[in-house]
Amino acid sequence: DDRICSIVMVGPPVNKYEFAEVKRSNKPKFIVHGESDELIPLKMVREFYAQLPDPKELIEIDRANHLFDGQASEVGDALEELLGDFSCKTQ
């Protein structure tokens, strides 16, 4: 869809879904994931990330679990940093 100019994934369940469309997309992809995610291992997210074409960015939140308990502001800061230099031009 041309109206979508970037893909943002927070704690993506890469152990449950293929995300084939994301893997084929040439749009910017931003992923935020918790280092201590108990549901989706960080190792699996790194493997998924390695399959993505550029442009892409992965931010790992230190000591964060799947719900980012007590670290929501760090997720917000990461998203602000990722998207701060990005401008979205839609039709």
Side-chain angles (χ1 to χ4, degrees):
D1 189 323
D2 289 336
R3 296 172 297 171
I4 297 171
C5 60
S6 67
I7 299 167
V8 176
M9 304 175 88
V10 178
V14 298
N15 58 347
K16 304 269 187 216
Y17 302 100
E18 169 100 12
F19 292 108
E21 292 292 325
V22 175
K23 290 178 183 176
R24 287 192 296 271
S25 177
N26 289 320
K27 297 176 189 241
K29 290 158 287 296
F30 305 112
I31 300 175
V32 177
H33 201 78
E35 176 187 54
S36 299
D37 190 316
E38 69 283 6
L39 299 179
I40 300 104
L42 181 57
K43 178 182 179 196
M44 292 184 81
V45 173
R46 288 177 178 158
E47 291 169 358
F48 170 76
Y49 178 78
Q51 298 174 40
L52 299 176
D54 288 327
K56 61 185 179 180
E57 185 79 32
L58 171 63
I59 299 290
E60 299 172 11
I61 306 293
D62 292 338
R63 301 173 312 282
N65 64 17
H66 184 68
L67 297 176
F68 301 94
D69 288 332
Q71 294 176 287
S73 64
E74 291 179 49
V75 174
D77 292 345
L79 291 172
E80 186 176 358
E81 179 182 327
L82 287 170
L83 299 173
D85 294 331
F86 177 74
S87 65
C88 183
K89 296 176 179 120
T90 59
Q91 306 284 359

